Amino acid sequence: MEQILPHLDSVFSIDCVLFGFDGKELKILLIERNEEPFKDWWALPGNIVGADESLDQSASRILYELTGLRGIYMEQYYAFGDPNRHPQGRVITLAYYALIRLGGDKELRPISNYAKRANWLPITDLPKLAFDHQKIYDKGLEKIKRRIKHQPIAFELLPEKFTLTQLQHVYELVLGKKLDKRNFRKKIVSFGVLKELDEKQKGVSYRAATLYRFDKRKYAKLFGKEISF
Amino acid sequence: MEQILPHLDSVFSIDCVLFGFDGKELKILLIERNEEPFKDWWALPGNIVGADESLDQSASRILYELTGLRGIYMEQYYAFGDPNRHPQGRVITLAYYALIRLGGDKELRPISNYAKRANWLPITDLPKLAFDHQKIYDKGLEKIKRRIKHQPIAFELLPEKFTLTQLQHVYELVLGKKLDKRNFRKKIVSFGVLKELDEKQKGVSYRAATLYRFDKRKYAKLFGKEISF
DNA sequence: TTACTTAGTGTAAAAATTACACACTATATT
DNA sequence: AATATAGTGTGTAATTTTTACACTAAGTAA
């Protein structure tokens, strides 16, 4: 670390990969750029870190400005700093991911002034992305794939009350493979972090499934032990 | 990402947690600062990212300048950006770790101009560190603990040819617990990434152990599969 | 009442993990 | 030459975990 801090022409930003789940598909939030460079391209939402913000605060603010959401599980996962990643100068960016349940209750607040529009697009059919955002997204997906095996992040994608089938569905989408129903249930229940409710699913035209809730207290007690898929 | 890049008074640095192993202990490289702030304190070696360097390039350069070493396995693991972490201004720092075998063949080149001196200090008895460097170190240790369970990074701490007992020793030091000799050997050999050599250990006053080498080719073939401890 | 759709459940085989102790070999010492 | 010393190297049985696999139950819609 230097004693005398040089005045450098560099910018530090945060880009966010917001994974959303609507009950069917995994999606990410993208904005359509309205200015050069990469005018009309889709890009990850991001912004510059404020002078008096910590990184996590900054990420929360950015998420809030872009979606109106607060209290979402977010984590930094990688810094991208290729000198040529931004055509207009040196921009080092720190990538965060967040997991969000879509639809139903809250609608997302429209995006501020960044873009023509913002949209949740299914990850199975993404457009070409501006800058190195494809790389940032790829690494983010990789990250949550690994993370979901060890940490209870899947619940962030689901409503507070959910069925085991929905939970399994999330795992299958993120991991990109089918899981065995009985083995999945056996294992997930054996972790002891789910609370079975007295309630049943509603509005389905078939046998209603039991609802569960993620039990943060029980999870806190487990801390240190590794969950594993 | 902004269109117009503001001119910000922020500095972006890299700090390095260099883990070294001398056959006995795990150590990290620290420098003793010669200037304010934190004059006379021990600190992690670090430096500012150059304008035309990628982050990894910058980390490699810094490692080289501080130790004379090249070709070392290094990885970024976390960005620290508390607005008050540096008393003289906003400095966001990206932490890297590296694993290095100490002693024997190459001696480390002395440190450039950063400090009064540099030293490898055993992690069991670290001094108070400048800035938030204790936090950076803690997170680094946590990181390699997790990493060593899944990736073949232990070999970086050992000479090219090593015995299974030495390898076990490294695992025990990093994980901070004793492992069963027979089970350890069974498992590590079963991964199939070790090549047994025709050579024996030399210079010991007891039965000489067989030497092994890490087989990068075999490991490359395994890629995708997760090793697990 | 029947057809449809998803919920919910158990077991046996295979694989992985754990716990555990002694004989072997090379050298150093007398 | 005999002995002491110190670390090497090996197998098995018990337990736990993982995997593969298929049918009945419950609720809704026609």
Side-chain angles (χ1 to χ4, degrees):
Chain A
M1 196 84 59
E2 302 308 59
Q3 307 320 303
I4 296 120
L5 302 178
H7 196 80
L8 293 181
D9 219 321
S10 76
V11 174
F12 191 77
S13 69
I14 285 176
D15 284 306
C16 238
V17 183
L18 308 179
F19 289 95
F21 180 63
D22 60 3
K24 300 245 163 179
E25 287 179 301
L26 258 193
K27 297 179 173 178
I28 62 170
L29 183 67
L30 293 174
I31 60 173
E32 195 179 346
R33 292 174 58 84
N34 202 18
E35 296 179 35
E36 296 296 344
F38 291 103
K39 182 162 155 61
D40 302 327
W41 288 55
W42 291 93
L44 294 173
N47 208 334
I48 289 186
V49 173
D52 295 318
E53 288 174 323
S54 75
L55 302 175
D56 285 354
Q57 278 165 10
S58 180
S60 291
R61 170 182 61 78
I62 291 168
L63 175 65
Y64 178 70
E65 288 174 359
L66 297 170
T67 66
L69 290 169
R70 288 188 191 278
I72 297 293
Y73 183 85
M74 282 186 90
E75 195 161 349
Q76 62 158 268
Y77 66 90
Y78 205 77
F80 296 83
D82 189 279
N84 304 314
R85 62 175 293 281
H86 195 298
Q88 294 180 333
R90 183 72 191 263
V91 182
I92 292 167
T93 198
L94 182 61
Y96 272 75
Y97 68 79
L99 302 175
I100 296 168
R101 64 166 172 279
L102 301 181
D105 29 11
K106 302 160 192 161
E107 247 342 287
L108 299 182
R109 260 192 8 196
I111 301 307
S112 41
N113 52 351
Y114 287 100
K116 278 195 261 184
R117 56 184 173 138
N119 234 329
W120 290 97
L121 300 182
I123 64 169
T124 49
D125 187 27
L126 292 179
K128 274 197 180 160
L129 300 183
F131 305 103
D132 55 355
H133 287 188
Q134 180 70 39
K135 220 161 92 184
I136 296 177
Y137 159 74
D138 287 344
K139 196 126 189 161
L141 181 60
E142 203 182 284
K143 187 75 181 185
I144 67 162
K145 272 190 187 181
R146 205 166 296 157
R147 191 58 54 107
I148 205 174
K149 292 183 186 175
H150 303 292
Q151 308 260 197
I153 62 173
F155 307 102
E156 298 284 337
L157 290 168
L158 290 169
E160 202 191 354
K161 300 170 183 180
F162 51 84
T163 70
L164 294 183
T165 301
Q166 288 167 342
L167 183 59
Q168 181 176 347
H169 193 184
V170 167
Y171 272 85
E172 288 179 339
L173 279 174
V174 173
L175 297 177
K177 65 178 178 191
K178 287 272 172 213
L179 301 173
D180 178 84
K181 182 161 69 162
R182 277 175 292 189
N183 293 339
F184 177 82
R185 285 165 180 239
K186 215 185 307 176
K187 191 156 198 181
I188 205 92
V189 167
S190 79
F191 293 148
V193 298
L194 292 185
K195 182 167 177 53
E196 184 175 348
L197 303 177
D198 284 334
E199 249 171 297
K200 300 273 169 184
Q201 201 178 18
K202 277 181 186 158
V204 289
S205 70
Y206 45 82
R207 177 179 179 182
T210 302
L211 291 171
Y212 288 77
R213 163 182 293 158
F214 173 60
D215 189 331
K216 280 179 198 165
R217 268 196 241 144
K218 285 188 194 162
Y219 176 68
K221 283 188 190 164
L222 283 185
F223 207 74
K225 291 183 193 174
E226 289 231 329
I227 277 176
S228 187
F229 244 85
Chain B
M1 198 81 60
E2 302 306 59
Q3 305 319 305
I4 296 122
L5 302 179
H7 196 78
L8 294 180
D9 220 321
S10 75
V11 174
F12 191 76
S13 69
I14 285 176
D15 283 307
C16 237
V17 182
L18 307 179
F19 289 94
F21 180 63
D22 60 5
K24 300 245 163 182
E25 287 179 303
L26 258 192
K27 297 180 172 177
I28 61 170
L29 183 67
L30 293 175
I31 60 172
E32 195 180 346
R33 292 174 58 84
N34 202 16
E35 296 178 35
E36 297 294 347
F38 292 101
K39 183 161 155 61
D40 302 327
W41 287 55
W42 291 93
L44 294 173
N47 207 334
I48 290 186
V49 174
D52 296 317
E53 291 174 321
S54 75
L55 301 175
D56 285 354
Q57 277 165 9
S58 180
S60 292
R61 170 183 59 79
I62 291 168
L63 175 67
Y64 178 70
E65 287 174 0
L66 297 170
T67 66
L69 291 169
R70 290 188 191 277
I72 298 293
Y73 182 86
M74 283 186 89
E75 195 161 348
Q76 63 158 269
Y77 66 89
Y78 206 77
F80 296 83
D82 188 279
N84 304 314
R85 63 175 293 280
H86 195 298
Q88 295 180 332
R90 182 71 191 263
V91 182
I92 293 167
T93 198
L94 182 62
Y96 272 76
Y97 68 81
L99 302 174
I100 297 168
R101 63 165 174 278
L102 301 181
D105 30 9
K106 300 160 194 160
E107 247 342 286
L108 299 183
R109 260 195 5 199
I111 301 309
S112 42
N113 52 351
Y114 289 101
K116 278 195 261 184
R117 55 184 174 136
N119 234 330
W120 289 98
L121 300 182
I123 63 169
T124 50
D125 187 27
L126 292 179
K128 273 196 182 163
L129 300 183
F131 306 103
D132 54 355
H133 287 189
Q134 180 68 42
K135 219 161 91 183
I136 296 177
Y137 159 73
D138 287 343
K139 196 125 190 163
L141 181 60
E142 202 183 286
K143 187 76 182 186
I144 68 163
K145 272 191 189 181
R146 205 165 297 160
R147 192 57 54 108
I148 204 175
K149 292 185 186 174
H150 303 293
Q151 308 260 197
I153 62 173
F155 308 102
E156 298 284 337
L157 290 167
L158 290 169
E160 202 191 353
K161 300 170 182 180
F162 52 85
T163 70
L164 294 184
T165 300
Q166 289 167 342
L167 184 58
Q168 182 177 346
H169 192 183
V170 167
Y171 271 87
E172 289 179 339
L173 279 175
V174 174
L175 297 178
K177 64 178 182 194
K178 287 271 172 214
L179 301 172
D180 178 85
K181 182 160 68 160
R182 277 176 290 190
N183 293 338
F184 177 82
R185 285 165 180 240
K186 213 185 308 176
K187 190 155 196 179
I188 206 90
V189 166
S190 78
F191 292 147
V193 298
L194 293 186
K195 181 165 176 56
E196 184 175 350
L197 303 178
D198 284 335
E199 248 170 297
K200 300 273 171 186
Q201 201 177 18
K202 275 180 187 156
V204 290
S205 70
Y206 44 81
R207 174 179 181 182
T210 303
L211 291 171
Y212 288 77
R213 164 182 292 158
F214 173 60
D215 189 331
K216 280 179 199 163
R217 266 197 244 143
K218 285 188 195 163
Y219 176 67
K221 283 188 191 164
L222 282 184
F223 206 73
K225 290 182 193 174
E226 289 231 331
I227 276 176
S228 188
F229 243 83

